Amino acid sequence: MTTAFYIPNHTSSALRPSPLAEMVSLPARPDFGADKQAMLRWSHSDTTSHCYYNLSEPRYPVRRLAKDNPVAYVHGIVADYDSKISREMLTEGIKQIPADYPLAYASTTFSGGARLVWLFDKKVPVFDCDLAKKIFGKLVKDMKLTKILPGYDEGSTDPARYFELGTDWVALNPDARISSTIVAAVVFEVAKKSDVSQAGPEIPMEAVAAEVERRWPGRWKGPFVPGAQGARFWDAQSDNETGAWVRETGVYAFSGEGRFLPWGEILGQAFVASFEANRIGAATQSTYFDGARYWYRATGNWVSEVSEPTKRRLMSAGLRREQRRGEVMSEVERGLSVVEMHSRVDGAFPFLYQDDEVVTVNENRYLNISRVAPTLPAPGIHFWGDGFPWLAAYLEQILDQEQRDVFLSWLSHFYRSAIAKDLRKGQALFLAGPPGVGKTFLSSRVIGGLMGGFAEATGFLLGRTEFNSGMYESPIWAVDDATAAADGKAHEMYSQIVKKVVANSSMTYRRMYSNPVTLPWQGRVVITLNDDPESISMLPNIEASMMDKVIFLKATQTRVDFHGAEAKVRSELAYFASYLRDWVIPEDLVGDYRYGVREYHHPVLLQIAKSASSTSSSRELLDIWRDLYFKATDDKEWVGNASELYVELSQSESLKALVNKTVSSNYRLGRDLAKMVSQNAASWLSVAPRKSGSGTRYAISRE
């Protein structure tokens, strides 16, 4: 017997059950004639005792349907028609109803319309009013209810609507019921389209199936996949083989609970949380946040982006952007939170030849965004020219044997520390020679190709710009045929920058619109220059503190054909790398731990550097004065400080104009004297024993 649920008036919240067949005997509606407003006032009076029914059973059937008391079962469907319906129209309309949906009752509404009632052979579990409304809507379509009679009221599908009892009840077929098989098919189709993504996370179905079998062995028959139907496996008493339907995020229970159960309710939150954490962890792996932007790897390179592209990327990795009911944040937001809390870095910078994604410097954590890598050595042992014949012939021509050993030792020390991921410092390499011998080719294609790239560094090394962020990614800072500034001050600054780059393990990383950061950089400076007087000015100032930090090599004229040379070198570099890996630095070239290789200065280039030194004018002046002084005296040496020497020079009428142009002050003269001693620029100049209060004293000898 089908049960209906009714309220005595529209103000009441008390719900009462009644067998549908007995409901017609409840107190009838008074005669209001055509005064519908009077009838409505009566229906909303809390003293009215009448029948306003529906066929939806709420979770708590003692109270009417409400947000906190949603529908749990539906017992049938009611259709309201607002047009005046005659008995003949009703008879003809009923004939159009498909045979699978036999009509049980019909009644007349206050306005003279028709109200039709169909009953189900079993009550149907539903999960909320929205799903019930969709089920009713599907039945309306399948039963063609909008076509059998005019004036169909779309509000009839609202499961929370209570229909007035009406009059003229006709029991057309009171025992007729719509088959539960038909209704279950409707429910299944509607539920299949409903969104249950808010109910819980998706878990790999094979993992769920394994856990179900472990806890309830043998309870599920057949494949455990989305769309499969079976018994409510978690209930030992359930034997309805269509009582549960598997979805990606849980199970629809069409019997028992009569609602959708997410995996957390069936398998426990601990089981679900572990998979959810794994999904978030997998989606956010190798993603970092520097306080402003997110970083992730794309095709092997690090890419930065703001939050919106990152959210879309996390969605493509399977995380939900929508927030589920009861959640503080969505999976995507939780993913961002995980990155911001556990993968926070203080910046993103390149660190050469290091495998670590995050590098700690002075207690700060930096993401390593370096992309460079040295050429890997070819397998096996390779002797000179074995696998790199063109490159061997080229090096034999451009450098003599002595210099070639220096070059190979310098490059081997650099290369071996790079492939060992333990980069060590090394001297700046200066290669001077005639045009067209391949100096630039050696710098960019051989050294740069072997070590993973090079950057043009002329502007930075000459002090024309302090921004060097674009150079930090490169292991080679190259200068090609540039010209150092002619004035001594600018050349001195250039020399000091070169010395600083070589001597310091760290440099100040400067990027526009960003604060400077001190970071490690232990690549190499390679400067190639022609041997004409103007180009040779790129040789740095020579002083004692500079000498161990530079290597001067002098290239010779070659007969090498450079046609196709780039392709040849690319094919030979791996074999050359193998040779460098096994290269044994000659004993006389082994340097200290700091640079690994002893400094080397080609005699011709060293002499040119000394001649081009900022002190050369002072040395020439003193050489002239020295000749005049010792011709006028029998002294074997002159001894005094810079001020005393400046007075001596100024008193010479023949040298006065040259003195003013060259040294201009005793301070300038003192600085040049100190440099000349440091550079060993003149054999006749030395530091004399100091007297109290006299400052540094110099000795200028006759010999």
Side-chain angles (χ1 to χ4, degrees):
M1 183 177 294
T2 301
T3 300
F5 299 85
Y6 74 95
I7 52 177
N9 56 68
H10 281 306
T11 304
S12 175
S13 61
L15 192 65
R16 304 170 186 177
S18 172
L20 187 64
E22 299 175 8
M23 192 175 62
V24 294
S25 63
L26 293 171
R29 179 187 72 228
D31 184 5
F32 293 101
D35 191 350
K36 188 171 183 177
Q37 293 301 317
M39 189 274 292
L40 290 176
R41 287 194 295 272
W42 176 77
S43 68
H44 284 83
S45 171
D46 59 5
T47 61
T48 296
S49 179
H50 186 46
C51 175
Y52 300 88
Y53 72 95
N54 72 17
L55 300 177
S56 299
E57 179 181 344
R59 185 177 299 173
Y60 306 107
V62 295
R63 287 193 292 118
R64 70 188 294 174
L65 280 164
K67 183 178 290 187
D68 63 344
N69 189 28
V71 62
Y73 300 93
V74 288
H75 295 255
I77 180 172
V78 179
D80 229 13
Y81 296 88
D82 292 335
S83 300
K84 289 188 178 298
I85 306 296
S86 66
R87 184 56 59 108
E88 291 76 15
M89 292 170 64
L90 180 61
T91 301
E92 289 301 316
I94 291 173
K95 291 179 182 179
Q96 300 179 52
I97 300 173
D100 288 337
Y101 305 97
L103 179 62
Y105 294 92
S107 64
T108 303
T109 68
F110 178 83
S111 302
R115 185 169 292 132
L116 310 182
V117 178
W118 289 264
L119 305 176
F120 302 151
D121 66 353
K122 291 181 181 180
K123 64 180 183 179
V124 176
V126 292
F127 317 130
D128 51 44
C129 287
D130 183 61
L131 182 61
K133 188 172 183 177
K134 290 177 180 178
I135 293 170
F136 288 155
K138 181 68 169 61
L139 286 171
V140 167
K141 183 178 180 180
D142 293 348
M143 296 164 68
K144 304 178 181 178
L145 298 188
T146 60
K147 298 179 179 179
I148 63 173
L149 292 172
Y152 175 75
D153 184 354
E154 298 289 346
S156 300
T157 59
D158 183 0
R161 177 174 177 177
Y162 288 86
F163 301 94
E164 192 267 326
L165 182 61
T167 58
D168 302 327
W169 273 79
V170 178
L172 298 170
N173 194 352
D175 295 326
R177 300 292 186 270
I178 299 175
S179 169
S180 59
T181 302
I182 293 176
V183 179
V186 170
V187 174
F188 187 83
E189 185 172 349
V190 169
K192 182 168 63 175
K193 297 178 180 178
S194 65
D195 180 20
V196 293
S197 63
Q198 301 294 312
E202 293 185 23
I203 301 175
M205 200 54 65
E206 58 273 15
V208 176
E211 184 68 7
V212 168
E213 181 62 23
R214 186 183 72 82
R215 296 193 191 186
W216 302 284
R219 285 285 290 151
W220 186 266
K221 311 298 183 184
F224 196 92
V225 294
Q229 287 183 289
R232 293 166 51 253
F233 50 84
W234 60 92
D235 182 358
Q237 306 303 316
S238 174
D239 57 1
N240 183 350
E241 294 301 324
T242 60
W245 173 45
V246 177
R247 287 293 303 269
E248 291 81 356
T249 56
V251 175
Y252 278 115
F254 290 109
S255 60
E257 293 84 354
R259 61 187 177 88
F260 182 81
L261 302 175
W263 295 127
E265 287 195 41
I266 300 174
L267 302 176
Q269 290 300 330
F271 178 82
V272 171
S274 64
F275 281 94
E276 194 166 25
N278 289 340
R279 289 175 63 247
I280 292 175
T284 59
Q285 186 177 17
S286 290
T287 299
Y288 294 87
F289 181 63
D290 66 5
R293 299 178 70 86
Y294 299 87
W295 291 82
Y296 75 102
R297 279 193 185 276
T299 61
N301 296 326
W302 287 100
V303 177
S304 68
E305 59 190 9
V306 293
S307 61
E308 279 306 312
T310 303
K311 289 179 180 179
R312 290 194 292 271
R313 183 168 54 83
L314 295 180
M315 288 173 61
S316 69
L319 301 190
R320 285 179 301 98
R321 188 164 189 168
E322 298 77 20
Q323 191 171 320
R324 289 198 301 255
R325 291 185 295 271
E327 284 187 332
V328 176
M329 59 181 69
S330 69
E331 282 186 338
V332 165
E333 291 168 330
R334 288 168 62 191
L336 292 182
S337 179
V338 166
V339 171
E340 290 163 5
M341 292 177 62
H342 301 291
S343 297
R344 184 72 175 256
V345 292
D346 297 291
F349 304 100
F351 294 87
L352 296 174
Y353 310 129
Q354 294 196 35
D355 291 332
D356 295 335
E357 282 191 352
V358 176
V359 177
T360 300
V361 179
N362 297 328
E363 299 184 359
N364 291 319
R365 300 175 73 246
Y366 298 113
L367 177 64
N368 181 11
I369 59 173
S370 176
R371 294 175 292 179
V372 302
T375 298
L376 294 178
I381 298 174
H382 295 271
F383 298 98
W384 180 251
D386 178 18
F388 55 101
W390 187 94
L391 186 52
Y394 163 63
L395 290 174
E396 287 173 357
Q397 291 193 47
I398 194 172
L399 297 172
D400 59 36
Q401 180 67 58
E402 180 182 16
Q403 293 187 103
R404 193 163 63 249
D405 285 351
V406 173
F407 172 74
L408 293 174
S409 298
W410 173 86
L411 188 55
S412 172
H413 172 67
F414 186 21
Y415 178 73
R416 286 190 300 208
S417 70
I419 61 175
K421 314 295 184 183
D422 182 24
L423 200 56
R424 294 169 60 187
K425 293 186 292 185
Q427 295 95 337
L429 180 70
F430 290 79
L431 179 63
V437 299
K439 302 184 299 296
T440 303
F441 185 85
L442 180 64
S443 170
S444 61
R445 298 297 179 261
V446 178
I447 303 175
L450 178 74
M451 302 310 300
F454 71 99
E456 168 58 46
T458 302
F460 176 73
L461 292 178
L462 292 181
R464 297 170 185 166
T465 178
E466 61 180 5
F467 298 112
N468 58 4
S469 59
M471 298 160 45
Y472 252 79
E473 174 71 13
S474 302
I476 305 297
W477 289 1
V479 177
D480 178 36
D481 290 339
T483 302
D487 66 280
K489 185 176 181 180
H491 192 273
E492 174 67 19
M493 181 174 68
Y494 154 69
S495 299
Q496 292 304 314
I497 292 174
V498 171
K499 182 168 71 172
K500 181 179 179 181
V501 171
V502 175
N504 295 348
S505 298
S506 299
M507 294 290 294
T508 301
Y509 179 101
R510 296 183 185 274
R511 181 167 50 198
M512 293 187 70
Y513 313 117
S514 299
N515 294 327
V517 182
T518 300
L519 297 172
W521 187 84
Q522 295 189 151
R524 298 294 186 268
V525 172
V526 179
I527 298 177
T528 56
L529 53 152
N530 290 336
D531 54 5
D532 60 87
E534 186 177 11
S535 300
I536 210 72
S537 65
M538 285 301 295
L539 291 173
N541 287 342
I542 299 301
E543 56 186 67
S545 61
M546 174 68 87
M547 300 304 289
D548 65 331
K549 298 174 180 63
V550 292
I551 289 177
F552 294 166
L553 299 181
K554 189 175 187 305
T556 58
Q557 193 68 51
T558 66
R559 299 179 303 280
V560 175
D561 180 8
F562 284 94
H563 179 71
E566 287 195 32
K568 292 176 182 176
V569 166
R570 282 197 300 270
S571 67
E572 293 182 2
L573 272 180
Y575 299 95
F576 183 51
S578 178
Y579 181 80
L580 289 173
R581 177 198 59 197
D582 301 329
W583 169 263
V584 178
I585 299 176
E587 188 175 344
D588 62 326
L589 292 179
V590 174
D592 58 21
Y593 178 81
R594 185 169 52 161
Y595 298 129
V597 178
R598 290 179 59 86
E599 67 273 16
Y600 175 88
H601 315 112
H602 190 281
V604 173
L605 298 179
L606 181 61
Q607 185 58 43
I608 292 173
K610 288 181 178 181
S611 300
S613 171
S614 61
T615 62
S616 60
S617 296
S618 295
R619 185 175 69 249
E620 291 173 4
L621 170 65
L622 290 176
D623 215 14
I624 296 172
W625 171 84
R626 174 172 161 272
D627 186 56
L628 294 173
Y629 178 83
F630 287 115
K631 282 182 178 179
T633 179
D634 293 331
D635 296 344
K636 291 186 177 181
E637 66 178 5
W638 177 93
V639 178
N641 58 34
S643 297
E644 293 168 338
L645 181 57
Y646 183 73
V647 171
E648 289 277 356
L649 293 171
S650 301
Q651 289 176 348
S652 174
E653 290 296 329
S654 59
L655 295 178
K656 186 176 295 185
L658 186 59
V659 170
N660 292 335
K661 182 179 178 181
T662 304
V663 293
S664 70
S665 68
N666 61 334
Y667 172 76
R668 168 68 184 274
L669 179 60
R671 188 183 65 182
D672 286 356
L673 288 170
K675 282 189 176 182
M676 289 169 61
V677 171
S678 172
Q679 298 171 7
N680 193 25
S683 59
W684 39 261
L685 177 66
S686 61
V687 175
R690 187 169 182 172
K691 290 184 178 180
S692 177
S694 65
T696 303
R697 301 171 72 241
Y698 297 93
I700 299 176
S701 65
R702 176 187 291 271
E703 298 301 328

